Amino acid sequence: MLEFKSFLKEYRIKAGMTQEELAEKVDVRRETIVRLEAARYNPSLKLAIDISRAVNTPIEKIFIYD
């Protein structure tokens, strides 16, 4: 079984955004960002793309399946 890993927190911080700011930018609740950062939520492709663009980092560096 593949393991989902998230490096969103690191890239969000590098982009200088709070969880709330990122949530507003990608039109989700802050709780969604919290769950994504903890790798407890698998984002839709659209959300992953929106986040990738918001933090200016390729999707495959933010969300990883091992």
Side-chain angles (χ1 to χ4, degrees):
M1 184 173 190
L2 295 176
E3 181 183 344
F4 177 62
K5 294 180 183 178
S6 173
F7 295 94
L8 176 56
K9 183 175 183 177
E10 291 86 348
Y11 289 108
R12 174 184 56 78
I13 291 169
K14 280 184 183 179
M17 283 190 265
T18 65
Q19 290 176 334
E20 187 66 35
E21 290 168 336
L22 178 57
E24 287 177 15
K25 192 164 192 158
V26 298
D27 198 30
V28 296
R29 296 181 341 172
R30 187 186 65 80
E31 290 79 11
T32 302
I33 302 300
V34 169
R35 290 176 61 209
L36 284 166
E37 288 184 354
R40 290 183 294 157
Y41 178 71
N42 185 353
S44 67
L45 179 56
K46 181 191 181 317
L47 180 55
I49 289 169
D50 290 345
I51 288 171
S52 172
R53 290 177 179 162
V55 298
N56 197 30
T57 304
I59 293 170
E60 59 271 13
K61 288 190 174 188
I62 302 170
F63 303 112
I64 297 174
Y65 284 95
D66 260 349

